[in-house]
C-alpha cells in the first residue's frame, strides 16, 4: 500500500488535515462579540434545556461567575440538595405511602382469593381479630440462658434486664460481705445475660 493513498489517509487516527471542521453555526451570544459560539453553557435554573453559545474566552468568563442557586435562600438550597439524593422524586417511609393500606388494593379491584389482605388488616378481616404479633423461635442455648436467669421464653427485654440486675445484686461478693461462695453462680448469670444480648433478646 502506498503511504500517499487516499484510503490510508482516511483510516489514520489523526489525519494530516482536519476534514471534520465544524459547521459555521451560532455566533457568540456575549453582547458585542463577533466570534463563533462553539462552546455551550447552561442558561440556569428552570431553563436547564436551554444553552448559551459562547466563544472560548467568554465561556470561561461565564463559567467563573455561574451560580445555579442564585436567588435561592439557604433553606431552599438545602431542600434542593436533599431532594437531589432521590432524583427529586417523592419518597415516604415504608408502609406509609400509597399502596401501603391493604384496603387500597381491594378498592382498586385486586382480587384476594386466599384472604391475604385480611391477615394484614384489610377488608374482610374477622371481627375481634387482633394484630398479628411476630414470634421468634427460641433455641436451646437461649432457653438455657433464660433458665439460668429464672425466666421463661417470651419474656420482654426490660424484664430480662431487671432480672439480671436483681440477680447480680444478690450474688455479688460485695453484697455478701466478701463471701466468694456465690461467685460461680454470678459468672453463670453474667454469661447468660451476655449471650441473650448477643442473640438480640435484650
Amino acid at each position: 500500500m502506498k503511504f500517499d493513498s487516499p484510503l490510508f489517509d482516511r483510516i489514520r487516527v489523526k489525519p494530516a488535515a482536519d476534514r471534520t471542521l465544524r459547521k459555521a453555526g451560532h455566533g457568540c451570544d456575549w453582547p458585542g462579540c463577533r466570534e463563533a459560539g462553539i462552546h455551550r453553557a447552561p442558561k440556569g435554573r428552570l431553563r436547564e434545556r436551554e444553552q448559551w453559545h459562547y466563544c472560548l474566552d467568554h465561556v470561561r468568563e461565564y463559567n467563573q461567575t455561574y451560580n445555579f442557586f442564585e436567588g435561592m435562600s439557604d433553606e431552599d438550597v438545602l431542600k434542593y440538595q436533599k431532594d437531589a439524593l432521590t432524583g427529586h422524586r417523592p419518597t415516604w417511609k415504608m408502609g406509609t405511602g400509597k399502596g401501603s393500606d391493604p384496603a387500597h388494593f381491594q378498592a382498586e379491584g385486586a382480587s384476594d382469593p386466599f384472604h391475604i389482605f385480611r391477615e394484614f388488616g384489610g377488608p374482610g378481616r374477622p371481627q375481634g381479630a387482633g394484630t398479628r404479633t411476630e414470634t421468634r423461635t427460641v433455641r436451646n442455648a437461649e432457653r438455657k440462658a433464660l433458665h439460668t436467669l429464672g425466666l421463661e421464653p417470651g419474656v420482654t427485654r426490660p424484664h430480662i434486664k431487671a432480672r439480671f440486675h436483681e440477680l447480680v445484686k444478690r450474688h455479688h461478693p460485695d453484697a455478701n460481705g466478701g463471701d466468694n461462695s456465690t461467685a460461680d453462680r454470678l459468672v453463670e448469670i453474667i454469661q447468660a445475660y451476655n449471650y441473650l444480648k448477643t442473640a438480640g433478646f435484650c
Side-chain angles (χ1 to χ4, degrees):
M1 178 179 270
K2 298 178 182 176
F3 287 109
D4 58 348
S5 167
L7 296 174
F8 184 73
D9 195 39
R10 281 188 213 152
I11 62 171
R12 280 187 190 170
V13 175
K14 187 173 181 183
D18 189 2
R19 295 178 177 85
T20 58
L21 289 174
R22 299 185 186 192
K23 296 178 182 177
H26 293 280
C28 181
D29 289 331
W30 199 269
C33 182
R34 296 179 184 269
E35 296 288 323
I38 58 175
H39 301 284
R40 294 179 293 179
K43 288 195 174 181
R45 190 167 39 89
L46 305 178
R47 298 171 71 184
E48 284 85 359
R49 297 188 182 273
E50 300 177 29
Q51 296 173 336
W52 299 109
H53 295 272
Y54 291 128
C55 63
L56 182 60
D57 293 335
H58 288 132
V59 79
R60 285 178 177 161
E61 187 175 340
Y62 179 80
N63 285 341
Q64 287 175 352
T65 59
Y66 179 72
N67 181 7
F68 182 81
F69 297 109
E70 186 177 359
M72 291 176 72
S73 67
D74 290 343
E75 293 81 18
D76 291 338
V77 171
L78 290 174
K79 185 178 183 306
Y80 183 91
Q81 290 174 336
K82 183 180 177 186
D83 289 345
L85 295 174
T86 58
H88 302 284
R89 292 185 178 93
T91 60
W92 48 84
K93 290 184 180 178
M94 251 178 107
T96 60
K98 179 182 177 186
S100 61
D101 182 12
H104 166 76
F105 291 108
Q106 290 208 334
E108 299 248 333
S111 109
D112 186 18
F114 299 107
H115 309 292
I116 294 172
F117 295 140
R118 266 198 307 195
E119 289 183 30
F120 295 100
R125 185 175 182 175
Q127 278 300 97
T131 58
R132 197 171 66 159
T133 57
E134 289 290 328
T135 57
R136 62 175 283 182
T137 308
V138 180
R139 299 184 193 110
N140 286 339
E142 293 162 355
R143 191 180 309 277
K144 183 179 176 185
L146 288 169
H147 180 70
T148 303
L149 297 178
L151 299 170
E152 294 294 324
V155 71
T156 62
R157 290 179 181 190
H159 196 178
I160 294 173
K161 202 170 198 176
R163 179 67 174 164
F164 170 70
H165 289 301
E166 176 191 336
L167 291 173
V168 166
K169 287 178 185 175
R170 184 186 308 163
H171 296 287
H172 199 278
D174 292 345
N176 295 322
D179 183 16
N180 286 332
S181 62
T182 59
D184 292 337
R185 174 78 176 128
L186 180 64
V187 169
E188 288 177 7
I189 292 166
I190 292 171
Q191 286 176 345
Y193 181 72
N194 287 338
Y195 179 79
L196 290 173
K197 272 175 60 174
T198 57
F201 271 81
C202 52

